[in-house]
Amino acid sequence: MPVPNLQRPGFAAPLPESADVVVIGGGIAGVTTALFLAEAGVNVVLCEKGTIAAEQSSRNWGWVRQMGRDPKELPLTIESLNLWRDIDRRFGIETGFRETGITYVCRTKAEIAEFTAWEKYGREAGMPSTLLDSAGLQKLLPGIAAQYTLGLHTANDGRAEPERAVPQMASAAVRLGATITENCAVRGIETAGGRISGVVTEKGTIATSSVVVAAGAWSRLFLGNLGLDFPQLKLLGTAARIESDGAVPDMPVGGGDFSFRKRLDGGYTIAQRNANVAPVTPDSFRLFFDFLPTLMTSWRELKLRVNGQTVSELKMPRRWSLDQVTPFEAIRTLDPVPHAPFNRNAVRNLTRAFPAFADARLTHSWAGMIDATPDAIPVIGPIAAVPGLYLSSGFSGHGFGSGPGAGRLMAEIVRNEKTCVDPAPFRYERFSKTAKAA
Ligand SMILES: Cc1cc2nc3c(=O)[nH]c(=O)nc-3n(C[C@H](O)[C@H](O)[C@H](O)COP(=O)(O)OP(=O)(O)OC[C@H]3O[C@@H](n4cnc5c(N)ncnc54)[C@H](O)[C@@H]3O)c2cc1C
């Protein structure tokens, strides 16, 4: 595992013959859904093709933030932060969540304009965010270079430890009665009379009437085999762990071109902020017009590349029958190659902002495939065309922070209960142009 210290408790429960609910995918979306279902006494089984949290959910920066979120998903993000604050006590685990606050720092006119607008938005949304001048920044973040003249600090945002949070949540789900099986790819679903009747895995079939697809970057492929078109593209995010003996703040800090977060293991997770690789794949062409508006606003942050993912997806079958080995078994863990220049730039930009990082020693680097929807908001809800089928996916680079909220919401929707937030912004059918049969 390129991600340092990923906890691997090991989940090898034998597959039961039946379950009330089957969850596909052991990232934060699937695990928190299983956790809240198990807590409510539902008989839930989670199948993970590789290892719990080995894809995006352990590779992220570990930021848990509400600042800068789309207003449509802000209530979910706030609900999620509330859950993070209590999750360790509630389930007897240690996710590493700390309410440290998060600060953005500005150097250029464009950054100042961006974060000043965010402050207005935060104020209107009732967030405890404050704009800081140079003196305020020096006080909050001692050692920051003088060219950073404005900061935006949100006191109740925080951070957690991706390499341990989701494995620990999965262990808690098992203690509450969930069944979790790793190395168990789901190949597809069975229906009877138009609604879900079972889930076919590489290890056998589970009879069930409810299935939650939480397959991260694989959700589009999985649903495509069912004739459902979920508009989702992948972006390659690169990050690294460094060590430094310098006196650097504990709080996560983001500038226009760097980010860092103190880790509980003493190092820092760093990245070049606003920089991702967009692999050119067949889906880039199929979904070009769906993503065009996003592309037009964020093209400066993207490097289009023909790379290993291009080759992999060109060769990947898009249709299979349930007795065939699927791409989910062929690729147990999506482990893309990091884009090394981003990490070099991150160290350089970081050191410019905080000269105490001059002694930074890079110990690990890794990448993860971020799954994105055209409006950068996830789908959390039923797929009306297939009664009993639900989707929780498309978290567009911020699903770690909103994961517990998403899990709670999905569990409530599956149980047909009153929901903690309005689920309307997360409807699958909002992609009505594409939600037709593929
Ligand atoms: C570099 C990077 C930095 C990020 N930083 C942040 C951050 O600071 N804050 C934040 O909030 N978010 C961040 N994110 C985004 C966040 O990590 C994701 O939004 C979130 O983890 C998505 O969770 P998920 O459960 O949907 O997907 P994943 O974690 O990718 O999990 C999906 C799982 O489904 C499994 N699966 C797929 N198909 C099948 C199948 N057929 N059968 C069985 N299992 C299957 C996969 O193996 C995988 O384990 C970052 C992401 C990256 C890559």
PDB file of all heavy atoms in Angstrom, residues 24-29 47-49 55-57 59-63 184-186 214-216 218 237 328 368 370 395 397-401, ligand 1:
ATOM      1  N   ILE A  24     -22.487  -2.392  -1.782  1.00  0.00           N
ATOM      2  CA  ILE A  24     -21.371  -2.720  -2.693  1.00  0.00           C
ATOM      3  C   ILE A  24     -20.317  -1.630  -2.555  1.00  0.00           C
ATOM      4  O   ILE A  24     -20.538  -0.490  -2.972  1.00  0.00           O
ATOM      5  CB  ILE A  24     -21.856  -2.809  -4.147  1.00  0.00           C
ATOM      6  CG1 ILE A  24     -22.981  -3.836  -4.270  1.00  0.00           C
ATOM      7  CG2 ILE A  24     -20.688  -3.153  -5.075  1.00  0.00           C
ATOM      8  CD1 ILE A  24     -23.668  -3.830  -5.639  1.00  0.00           C
ATOM      9  N   GLY A  25     -19.175  -1.967  -1.976  1.00  0.00           N
ATOM     10  CA  GLY A  25     -18.069  -1.019  -1.868  1.00  0.00           C
ATOM     11  C   GLY A  25     -17.770  -0.646  -0.433  1.00  0.00           C
ATOM     12  O   GLY A  25     -18.635  -0.216   0.313  1.00  0.00           O
ATOM     13  N   GLY A  26     -16.485  -0.804  -0.068  1.00  0.00           N
ATOM     14  CA  GLY A  26     -16.056  -0.557   1.309  1.00  0.00           C
ATOM     15  C   GLY A  26     -15.232   0.694   1.461  1.00  0.00           C
ATOM     16  O   GLY A  26     -14.235   0.723   2.173  1.00  0.00           O
ATOM     17  N   GLY A  27     -15.630   1.782   0.771  1.00  0.00           N
ATOM     18  CA  GLY A  27     -15.080   3.105   1.064  1.00  0.00           C
ATOM     19  C   GLY A  27     -15.960   3.759   2.118  1.00  0.00           C
ATOM     20  O   GLY A  27     -16.846   3.122   2.709  1.00  0.00           O
ATOM     21  N   ILE A  28     -15.737   5.057   2.337  1.00  0.00           N
ATOM     22  CA  ILE A  28     -16.475   5.705   3.432  1.00  0.00           C
ATOM     23  C   ILE A  28     -17.978   5.736   3.160  1.00  0.00           C
ATOM     24  O   ILE A  28     -18.783   5.603   4.094  1.00  0.00           O
ATOM     25  CB  ILE A  28     -15.908   7.112   3.741  1.00  0.00           C
ATOM     26  CG1 ILE A  28     -16.450   7.626   5.074  1.00  0.00           C
ATOM     27  CG2 ILE A  28     -16.195   8.113   2.609  1.00  0.00           C
ATOM     28  CD1 ILE A  28     -15.654   8.742   5.701  1.00  0.00           C
ATOM     29  N   ALA A  29     -18.389   5.848   1.882  1.00  0.00           N
ATOM     30  CA  ALA A  29     -19.826   5.910   1.592  1.00  0.00           C
ATOM     31  C   ALA A  29     -20.500   4.584   1.955  1.00  0.00           C
ATOM     32  O   ALA A  29     -21.561   4.569   2.599  1.00  0.00           O
ATOM     33  CB  ALA A  29     -20.046   6.242   0.120  1.00  0.00           C
ATOM     34  N   CYS A  47     -19.941  -5.945   0.667  1.00  0.00           N
ATOM     35  CA  CYS A  47     -18.926  -6.658  -0.126  1.00  0.00           C
ATOM     36  C   CYS A  47     -17.938  -5.644  -0.684  1.00  0.00           C
ATOM     37  O   CYS A  47     -18.330  -4.660  -1.303  1.00  0.00           O
ATOM     38  CB  CYS A  47     -19.577  -7.384  -1.296  1.00  0.00           C
ATOM     39  SG  CYS A  47     -20.770  -8.616  -0.791  1.00  0.00           S
ATOM     40  N   GLU A  48     -16.673  -5.918  -0.481  1.00  0.00           N
ATOM     41  CA  GLU A  48     -15.599  -5.046  -0.984  1.00  0.00           C
ATOM     42  C   GLU A  48     -14.706  -5.888  -1.887  1.00  0.00           C
ATOM     43  O   GLU A  48     -14.223  -6.939  -1.480  1.00  0.00           O
ATOM     44  CB  GLU A  48     -14.812  -4.450   0.194  1.00  0.00           C
ATOM     45  CG  GLU A  48     -13.450  -3.877  -0.150  1.00  0.00           C
ATOM     46  CD  GLU A  48     -13.454  -2.821  -1.270  1.00  0.00           C
ATOM     47  OE1 GLU A  48     -14.247  -1.871  -1.198  1.00  0.00           O
ATOM     48  OE2 GLU A  48     -12.656  -2.974  -2.218  1.00  0.00           O
ATOM     49  N   LYS A  49     -14.445  -5.406  -3.105  1.00  0.00           N
ATOM     50  CA  LYS A  49     -13.667  -6.217  -4.064  1.00  0.00           C
ATOM     51  C   LYS A  49     -12.213  -6.375  -3.629  1.00  0.00           C
ATOM     52  O   LYS A  49     -11.552  -7.342  -3.967  1.00  0.00           O
ATOM     53  CB  LYS A  49     -13.749  -5.628  -5.472  1.00  0.00           C
ATOM     54  CG  LYS A  49     -13.066  -4.289  -5.658  1.00  0.00           C
ATOM     55  CD  LYS A  49     -13.194  -3.824  -7.115  1.00  0.00           C
ATOM     56  CE  LYS A  49     -12.773  -2.384  -7.303  1.00  0.00           C
ATOM     57  NZ  LYS A  49     -11.394  -2.052  -6.970  1.00  0.00           N
ATOM     58  N   GLU A  55      -9.085   2.391  -1.653  1.00  0.00           N
ATOM     59  CA  GLU A  55      -9.074   3.345  -2.772  1.00  0.00           C
ATOM     60  C   GLU A  55      -9.173   4.773  -2.207  1.00  0.00           C
ATOM     61  O   GLU A  55      -8.446   5.121  -1.283  1.00  0.00           O
ATOM     62  CB  GLU A  55     -10.152   2.956  -3.797  1.00  0.00           C
ATOM     63  CG  GLU A  55      -9.787   1.596  -4.440  1.00  0.00           C
ATOM     64  CD  GLU A  55     -10.535   1.231  -5.708  1.00  0.00           C
ATOM     65  OE1 GLU A  55     -11.535   1.886  -6.046  1.00  0.00           O
ATOM     66  OE2 GLU A  55     -10.103   0.265  -6.378  1.00  0.00           O
ATOM     67  N   GLN A  56     -10.072   5.596  -2.729  1.00  0.00           N
ATOM     68  CA  GLN A  56     -10.068   7.014  -2.341  1.00  0.00           C
ATOM     69  C   GLN A  56     -10.098   7.249  -0.824  1.00  0.00           C
ATOM     70  O   GLN A  56      -9.490   8.204  -0.327  1.00  0.00           O
ATOM     71  CB  GLN A  56     -11.299   7.724  -2.903  1.00  0.00           C
ATOM     72  CG  GLN A  56     -11.335   7.860  -4.402  1.00  0.00           C
ATOM     73  CD  GLN A  56     -12.636   8.499  -4.836  1.00  0.00           C
ATOM     74  OE1 GLN A  56     -12.762   9.705  -4.822  1.00  0.00           O
ATOM     75  NE2 GLN A  56     -13.604   7.682  -5.215  1.00  0.00           N
ATOM     76  N   SER A  57     -10.815   6.379  -0.111  1.00  0.00           N
ATOM     77  CA  SER A  57     -11.104   6.703   1.290  1.00  0.00           C
ATOM     78  C   SER A  57      -9.900   6.651   2.219  1.00  0.00           C
ATOM     79  O   SER A  57      -9.969   7.121   3.356  1.00  0.00           O
ATOM     80  CB  SER A  57     -12.248   5.819   1.811  1.00  0.00           C
ATOM     81  OG  SER A  57     -13.443   6.183   1.150  1.00  0.00           O
ATOM     82  N   ARG A  59      -6.816   7.558   0.696  1.00  0.00           N
ATOM     83  CA  ARG A  59      -5.802   8.309  -0.061  1.00  0.00           C
ATOM     84  C   ARG A  59      -6.027   9.814  -0.001  1.00  0.00           C
ATOM     85  O   ARG A  59      -5.294  10.579  -0.609  1.00  0.00           O
ATOM     86  CB  ARG A  59      -5.833   7.841  -1.536  1.00  0.00           C
ATOM     87  CG  ARG A  59      -5.325   6.433  -1.680  1.00  0.00           C
ATOM     88  CD  ARG A  59      -5.721   5.795  -3.010  1.00  0.00           C
ATOM     89  NE  ARG A  59      -5.407   4.390  -2.949  1.00  0.00           N
ATOM     90  CZ  ARG A  59      -4.382   3.803  -3.557  1.00  0.00           C
ATOM     91  NH1 ARG A  59      -3.603   4.500  -4.339  1.00  0.00           N
ATOM     92  NH2 ARG A  59      -4.157   2.524  -3.405  1.00  0.00           N
ATOM     93  N   ASN A  60      -7.092  10.221   0.673  1.00  0.00           N
ATOM     94  CA  ASN A  60      -7.439  11.648   0.640  1.00  0.00           C
ATOM     95  C   ASN A  60      -6.614  12.433   1.651  1.00  0.00           C
ATOM     96  O   ASN A  60      -5.865  11.880   2.449  1.00  0.00           O
ATOM     97  CB  ASN A  60      -8.943  11.820   0.858  1.00  0.00           C
ATOM     98  CG  ASN A  60      -9.381  11.305   2.187  1.00  0.00           C
ATOM     99  OD1 ASN A  60      -9.145  11.938   3.199  1.00  0.00           O
ATOM    100  ND2 ASN A  60      -9.998  10.136   2.206  1.00  0.00           N
ATOM    101  N   TRP A  61      -6.788  13.747   1.614  1.00  0.00           N
ATOM    102  CA  TRP A  61      -5.992  14.626   2.483  1.00  0.00           C
ATOM    103  C   TRP A  61      -6.444  14.566   3.952  1.00  0.00           C
ATOM    104  O   TRP A  61      -5.728  15.041   4.831  1.00  0.00           O
ATOM    105  CB  TRP A  61      -6.125  16.077   2.045  1.00  0.00           C
ATOM    106  CG  TRP A  61      -5.708  16.405   0.667  1.00  0.00           C
ATOM    107  CD1 TRP A  61      -5.073  15.598  -0.231  1.00  0.00           C
ATOM    108  CD2 TRP A  61      -5.903  17.660   0.010  1.00  0.00           C
ATOM    109  NE1 TRP A  61      -4.870  16.276  -1.405  1.00  0.00           N
ATOM    110  CE2 TRP A  61      -5.360  17.547  -1.289  1.00  0.00           C
ATOM    111  CE3 TRP A  61      -6.480  18.874   0.392  1.00  0.00           C
ATOM    112  CZ2 TRP A  61      -5.395  18.598  -2.199  1.00  0.00           C
ATOM    113  CZ3 TRP A  61      -6.505  19.913  -0.512  1.00  0.00           C
ATOM    114  CH2 TRP A  61      -5.966  19.774  -1.795  1.00  0.00           C
ATOM    115  N   GLY A  62      -7.670  14.116   4.182  1.00  0.00           N
ATOM    116  CA  GLY A  62      -8.173  14.071   5.562  1.00  0.00           C
ATOM    117  C   GLY A  62      -8.797  15.368   6.030  1.00  0.00           C
ATOM    118  O   GLY A  62      -8.989  15.570   7.230  1.00  0.00           O
ATOM    119  N   TRP A  63      -9.141  16.240   5.099  1.00  0.00           N
ATOM    120  CA  TRP A  63      -9.796  17.488   5.490  1.00  0.00           C
ATOM    121  C   TRP A  63     -11.291  17.229   5.678  1.00  0.00           C
ATOM    122  O   TRP A  63     -11.917  16.565   4.845  1.00  0.00           O
ATOM    123  CB  TRP A  63      -9.630  18.555   4.401  1.00  0.00           C
ATOM    124  CG  TRP A  63      -8.241  19.099   4.277  1.00  0.00           C
ATOM    125  CD1 TRP A  63      -7.078  18.419   4.420  1.00  0.00           C
ATOM    126  CD2 TRP A  63      -7.884  20.447   3.963  1.00  0.00           C
ATOM    127  NE1 TRP A  63      -6.006  19.253   4.216  1.00  0.00           N
ATOM    128  CE2 TRP A  63      -6.482  20.505   3.927  1.00  0.00           C
ATOM    129  CE3 TRP A  63      -8.609  21.603   3.699  1.00  0.00           C
ATOM    130  CZ2 TRP A  63      -5.789  21.682   3.642  1.00  0.00           C
ATOM    131  CZ3 TRP A  63      -7.929  22.771   3.413  1.00  0.00           C
ATOM    132  CH2 TRP A  63      -6.537  22.813   3.401  1.00  0.00           C
ATOM    133  N   CYS A 184     -14.191  -9.654  -2.317  1.00  0.00           N
ATOM    134  CA  CYS A 184     -15.467 -10.197  -2.779  1.00  0.00           C
ATOM    135  C   CYS A 184     -16.121  -9.178  -3.719  1.00  0.00           C
ATOM    136  O   CYS A 184     -16.890  -8.311  -3.283  1.00  0.00           O
ATOM    137  CB  CYS A 184     -16.364 -10.488  -1.565  1.00  0.00           C
ATOM    138  SG  CYS A 184     -17.944 -11.196  -2.044  1.00  0.00           S
ATOM    139  N   ALA A 185     -15.765  -9.299  -4.989  1.00  0.00           N
ATOM    140  CA  ALA A 185     -16.324  -8.368  -5.979  1.00  0.00           C
ATOM    141  C   ALA A 185     -17.769  -8.727  -6.274  1.00  0.00           C
ATOM    142  O   ALA A 185     -18.115  -9.907  -6.401  1.00  0.00           O
ATOM    143  CB  ALA A 185     -15.504  -8.431  -7.262  1.00  0.00           C
ATOM    144  N   VAL A 186     -18.594  -7.698  -6.374  1.00  0.00           N
ATOM    145  CA  VAL A 186     -19.970  -7.921  -6.819  1.00  0.00           C
ATOM    146  C   VAL A 186     -19.994  -7.791  -8.336  1.00  0.00           C
ATOM    147  O   VAL A 186     -19.514  -6.799  -8.893  1.00  0.00           O
ATOM    148  CB  VAL A 186     -20.926  -6.907  -6.159  1.00  0.00           C
ATOM    149  CG1 VAL A 186     -22.334  -7.069  -6.716  1.00  0.00           C
ATOM    150  CG2 VAL A 186     -20.937  -7.088  -4.651  1.00  0.00           C
ATOM    151  N   ALA A 214     -22.129   1.695  -3.721  1.00  0.00           N
ATOM    152  CA  ALA A 214     -21.232   2.732  -3.180  1.00  0.00           C
ATOM    153  C   ALA A 214     -19.830   2.388  -3.685  1.00  0.00           C
ATOM    154  O   ALA A 214     -18.896   2.214  -2.906  1.00  0.00           O
ATOM    155  CB  ALA A 214     -21.295   2.751  -1.655  1.00  0.00           C
ATOM    156  N   ALA A 215     -19.722   2.290  -5.001  1.00  0.00           N
ATOM    157  CA  ALA A 215     -18.530   1.701  -5.615  1.00  0.00           C
ATOM    158  C   ALA A 215     -17.508   2.744  -6.047  1.00  0.00           C
ATOM    159  O   ALA A 215     -16.609   2.451  -6.844  1.00  0.00           O
ATOM    160  CB  ALA A 215     -18.944   0.823  -6.803  1.00  0.00           C
ATOM    161  N   GLY A 216     -17.620   3.973  -5.526  1.00  0.00           N
ATOM    162  CA  GLY A 216     -16.623   5.002  -5.809  1.00  0.00           C
ATOM    163  C   GLY A 216     -16.439   5.201  -7.300  1.00  0.00           C
ATOM    164  O   GLY A 216     -17.412   5.351  -8.054  1.00  0.00           O
ATOM    165  N   TRP A 218     -15.902   3.253  -9.519  1.00  0.00           N
ATOM    166  CA  TRP A 218     -16.375   2.127 -10.335  1.00  0.00           C
ATOM    167  C   TRP A 218     -17.889   2.140 -10.532  1.00  0.00           C
ATOM    168  O   TRP A 218     -18.440   1.261 -11.203  1.00  0.00           O
ATOM    169  CB  TRP A 218     -15.989   0.807  -9.656  1.00  0.00           C
ATOM    170  CG  TRP A 218     -14.521   0.625  -9.476  1.00  0.00           C
ATOM    171  CD1 TRP A 218     -13.767   1.032  -8.408  1.00  0.00           C
ATOM    172  CD2 TRP A 218     -13.613   0.001 -10.378  1.00  0.00           C
ATOM    173  NE1 TRP A 218     -12.458   0.700  -8.592  1.00  0.00           N
ATOM    174  CE2 TRP A 218     -12.330   0.051  -9.802  1.00  0.00           C
ATOM    175  CE3 TRP A 218     -13.761  -0.607 -11.625  1.00  0.00           C
ATOM    176  CZ2 TRP A 218     -11.207  -0.472 -10.425  1.00  0.00           C
ATOM    177  CZ3 TRP A 218     -12.646  -1.133 -12.248  1.00  0.00           C
ATOM    178  CH2 TRP A 218     -11.389  -1.056 -11.649  1.00  0.00           C
ATOM    179  N   GLY A 237      -5.819  12.488  -8.406  1.00  0.00           N
ATOM    180  CA  GLY A 237      -5.306  13.384  -7.371  1.00  0.00           C
ATOM    181  C   GLY A 237      -4.024  12.808  -6.793  1.00  0.00           C
ATOM    182  O   GLY A 237      -3.934  11.599  -6.548  1.00  0.00           O
ATOM    183  N   PHE A 328     -13.855  -5.837 -11.830  1.00  0.00           N
ATOM    184  CA  PHE A 328     -13.721  -5.606 -10.381  1.00  0.00           C
ATOM    185  C   PHE A 328     -12.817  -6.662  -9.737  1.00  0.00           C
ATOM    186  O   PHE A 328     -12.201  -6.422  -8.701  1.00  0.00           O
ATOM    187  CB  PHE A 328     -15.102  -5.625  -9.714  1.00  0.00           C
ATOM    188  CG  PHE A 328     -16.110  -4.785 -10.450  1.00  0.00           C
ATOM    189  CD1 PHE A 328     -17.210  -5.366 -11.059  1.00  0.00           C
ATOM    190  CD2 PHE A 328     -15.935  -3.417 -10.569  1.00  0.00           C
ATOM    191  CE1 PHE A 328     -18.125  -4.600 -11.763  1.00  0.00           C
ATOM    192  CE2 PHE A 328     -16.843  -2.641 -11.278  1.00  0.00           C
ATOM    193  CZ  PHE A 328     -17.935  -3.234 -11.875  1.00  0.00           C
ATOM    194  N   GLY A 368      -4.817   8.912  -6.061  1.00  0.00           N
ATOM    195  CA  GLY A 368      -6.142   8.282  -5.976  1.00  0.00           C
ATOM    196  C   GLY A 368      -7.003   8.806  -7.101  1.00  0.00           C
ATOM    197  O   GLY A 368      -6.834   9.935  -7.555  1.00  0.00           O
ATOM    198  N   ILE A 370     -10.189  10.317  -8.134  1.00  0.00           N
ATOM    199  CA  ILE A 370     -11.352  11.041  -7.601  1.00  0.00           C
ATOM    200  C   ILE A 370     -12.497  10.853  -8.591  1.00  0.00           C
ATOM    201  O   ILE A 370     -12.316  11.045  -9.793  1.00  0.00           O
ATOM    202  CB  ILE A 370     -11.010  12.541  -7.471  1.00  0.00           C
ATOM    203  CG1 ILE A 370      -9.862  12.723  -6.472  1.00  0.00           C
ATOM    204  CG2 ILE A 370     -12.238  13.358  -7.101  1.00  0.00           C
ATOM    205  CD1 ILE A 370      -9.298  14.141  -6.430  1.00  0.00           C
ATOM    206  N   PHE A 395     -18.784  11.598  -5.182  1.00  0.00           N
ATOM    207  CA  PHE A 395     -18.541  12.605  -4.136  1.00  0.00           C
ATOM    208  C   PHE A 395     -17.581  13.718  -4.579  1.00  0.00           C
ATOM    209  O   PHE A 395     -17.323  14.644  -3.828  1.00  0.00           O
ATOM    210  CB  PHE A 395     -18.082  11.920  -2.842  1.00  0.00           C
ATOM    211  CG  PHE A 395     -19.244  11.246  -2.145  1.00  0.00           C
ATOM    212  CD1 PHE A 395     -19.599   9.942  -2.442  1.00  0.00           C
ATOM    213  CD2 PHE A 395     -20.015  11.938  -1.244  1.00  0.00           C
ATOM    214  CE1 PHE A 395     -20.697   9.326  -1.838  1.00  0.00           C
ATOM    215  CE2 PHE A 395     -21.112  11.346  -0.623  1.00  0.00           C
ATOM    216  CZ  PHE A 395     -21.455  10.034  -0.927  1.00  0.00           C
ATOM    217  N   GLY A 397     -14.524  14.598  -4.888  1.00  0.00           N
ATOM    218  CA  GLY A 397     -13.361  15.134  -4.182  1.00  0.00           C
ATOM    219  C   GLY A 397     -13.636  15.624  -2.776  1.00  0.00           C
ATOM    220  O   GLY A 397     -12.756  16.187  -2.134  1.00  0.00           O
ATOM    221  N   HIS A 398     -14.866  15.416  -2.251  1.00  0.00           N
ATOM    222  CA  HIS A 398     -15.066  15.828  -0.863  1.00  0.00           C
ATOM    223  C   HIS A 398     -15.910  14.842  -0.056  1.00  0.00           C
ATOM    224  O   HIS A 398     -16.570  15.218   0.906  1.00  0.00           O
ATOM    225  CB  HIS A 398     -15.621  17.251  -0.786  1.00  0.00           C
ATOM    226  CG  HIS A 398     -16.759  17.520  -1.726  1.00  0.00           C
ATOM    227  ND1 HIS A 398     -16.571  18.007  -2.996  1.00  0.00           N
ATOM    228  CD2 HIS A 398     -18.075  17.371  -1.582  1.00  0.00           C
ATOM    229  CE1 HIS A 398     -17.742  18.160  -3.583  1.00  0.00           C
ATOM    230  NE2 HIS A 398     -18.670  17.766  -2.750  1.00  0.00           N
ATOM    231  N   GLY A 399     -15.854  13.600  -0.445  1.00  0.00           N
ATOM    232  CA  GLY A 399     -16.666  12.591   0.223  1.00  0.00           C
ATOM    233  C   GLY A 399     -16.143  12.124   1.563  1.00  0.00           C
ATOM    234  O   GLY A 399     -16.876  11.499   2.329  1.00  0.00           O
ATOM    235  N   PHE A 400     -14.882  12.407   1.868  1.00  0.00           N
ATOM    236  CA  PHE A 400     -14.388  11.966   3.183  1.00  0.00           C
ATOM    237  C   PHE A 400     -15.078  12.794   4.261  1.00  0.00           C
ATOM    238  O   PHE A 400     -15.642  12.245   5.211  1.00  0.00           O
ATOM    239  CB  PHE A 400     -12.867  12.119   3.244  1.00  0.00           C
ATOM    240  CG  PHE A 400     -12.267  11.615   4.526  1.00  0.00           C
ATOM    241  CD1 PHE A 400     -12.279  10.266   4.825  1.00  0.00           C
ATOM    242  CD2 PHE A 400     -11.686  12.489   5.435  1.00  0.00           C
ATOM    243  CE1 PHE A 400     -11.731   9.785   6.015  1.00  0.00           C
ATOM    244  CE2 PHE A 400     -11.123  12.021   6.620  1.00  0.00           C
ATOM    245  CZ  PHE A 400     -11.147  10.669   6.907  1.00  0.00           C
ATOM    246  N   GLY A 401     -15.072  14.105   4.089  1.00  0.00           N
ATOM    247  CA  GLY A 401     -15.721  14.961   5.089  1.00  0.00           C
ATOM    248  C   GLY A 401     -17.212  14.711   5.181  1.00  0.00           C
ATOM    249  O   GLY A 401     -17.782  14.638   6.269  1.00  0.00           O
TER     250      GLY A 401
HETATM  251  C1  LIG B   1      -5.877  12.654  -3.386  1.00  0.00           C
HETATM  252  C2  LIG B   1      -7.261  12.850  -2.836  1.00  0.00           C
HETATM  253  C3  LIG B   1      -7.513  13.836  -1.875  1.00  0.00           C
HETATM  254  C4  LIG B   1      -8.790  13.999  -1.334  1.00  0.00           C
HETATM  255  N1  LIG B   1      -8.964  14.856  -0.283  1.00  0.00           N
HETATM  256  C5  LIG B   1     -10.160  14.926   0.355  1.00  0.00           C
HETATM  257  C6  LIG B   1     -10.321  15.684   1.534  1.00  0.00           C
HETATM  258  O1  LIG B   1      -9.373  16.254   2.062  1.00  0.00           O
HETATM  259  N2  LIG B   1     -11.556  15.759   2.091  1.00  0.00           N
HETATM  260  C7  LIG B   1     -12.620  15.113   1.555  1.00  0.00           C
HETATM  261  O2  LIG B   1     -13.733  15.251   2.078  1.00  0.00           O
HETATM  262  N3  LIG B   1     -12.482  14.296   0.477  1.00  0.00           N
HETATM  263  C8  LIG B   1     -11.282  14.195  -0.138  1.00  0.00           C
HETATM  264  N4  LIG B   1     -11.119  13.377  -1.216  1.00  0.00           N
HETATM  265  C9  LIG B   1     -12.280  12.659  -1.754  1.00  0.00           C
HETATM  266  C10 LIG B   1     -12.675  11.456  -0.896  1.00  0.00           C
HETATM  267  O3  LIG B   1     -11.559  10.651  -0.622  1.00  0.00           O
HETATM  268  C11 LIG B   1     -13.745  10.660  -1.650  1.00  0.00           C
HETATM  269  O4  LIG B   1     -14.803  11.524  -2.061  1.00  0.00           O
HETATM  270  C12 LIG B   1     -14.343   9.540  -0.807  1.00  0.00           C
HETATM  271  O5  LIG B   1     -13.350   8.776  -0.185  1.00  0.00           O
HETATM  272  C13 LIG B   1     -15.209   8.650  -1.701  1.00  0.00           C
HETATM  273  O6  LIG B   1     -15.635   7.542  -0.954  1.00  0.00           O
HETATM  274  P1  LIG B   1     -16.410   6.359  -1.668  1.00  0.00           P
HETATM  275  O7  LIG B   1     -16.783   5.402  -0.607  1.00  0.00           O
HETATM  276  O8  LIG B   1     -17.480   6.924  -2.537  1.00  0.00           O
HETATM  277  O9  LIG B   1     -15.350   5.726  -2.691  1.00  0.00           O
HETATM  278  P2  LIG B   1     -14.036   4.833  -2.437  1.00  0.00           P
HETATM  279  O10 LIG B   1     -13.338   5.209  -1.210  1.00  0.00           O
HETATM  280  O11 LIG B   1     -13.261   4.906  -3.697  1.00  0.00           O
HETATM  281  O12 LIG B   1     -14.610   3.385  -2.212  1.00  0.00           O
HETATM  282  C14 LIG B   1     -15.269   2.644  -3.216  1.00  0.00           C
HETATM  283  C15 LIG B   1     -14.993   1.182  -2.933  1.00  0.00           C
HETATM  284  O13 LIG B   1     -15.853   0.367  -3.738  1.00  0.00           O
HETATM  285  C16 LIG B   1     -15.132  -0.803  -4.071  1.00  0.00           C
HETATM  286  N5  LIG B   1     -15.806  -1.424  -5.227  1.00  0.00           N
HETATM  287  C17 LIG B   1     -15.966  -0.898  -6.466  1.00  0.00           C
HETATM  288  N6  LIG B   1     -16.652  -1.734  -7.252  1.00  0.00           N
HETATM  289  C18 LIG B   1     -16.935  -2.830  -6.513  1.00  0.00           C
HETATM  290  C19 LIG B   1     -17.616  -4.052  -6.784  1.00  0.00           C
HETATM  291  N7  LIG B   1     -18.170  -4.303  -7.981  1.00  0.00           N
HETATM  292  N8  LIG B   1     -17.707  -4.973  -5.800  1.00  0.00           N
HETATM  293  C20 LIG B   1     -17.172  -4.728  -4.569  1.00  0.00           C
HETATM  294  N9  LIG B   1     -16.504  -3.577  -4.265  1.00  0.00           N
HETATM  295  C21 LIG B   1     -16.397  -2.646  -5.229  1.00  0.00           C
HETATM  296  C22 LIG B   1     -13.735  -0.286  -4.359  1.00  0.00           C
HETATM  297  O14 LIG B   1     -12.765  -1.306  -4.285  1.00  0.00           O
HETATM  298  C23 LIG B   1     -13.569   0.768  -3.274  1.00  0.00           C
HETATM  299  O15 LIG B   1     -12.942   0.259  -2.113  1.00  0.00           O
HETATM  300  C24 LIG B   1      -9.865  13.189  -1.804  1.00  0.00           C
HETATM  301  C25 LIG B   1      -9.622  12.193  -2.762  1.00  0.00           C
HETATM  302  C26 LIG B   1      -8.338  12.008  -3.265  1.00  0.00           C
HETATM  303  C27 LIG B   1      -8.092  10.902  -4.253  1.00  0.00           C
END
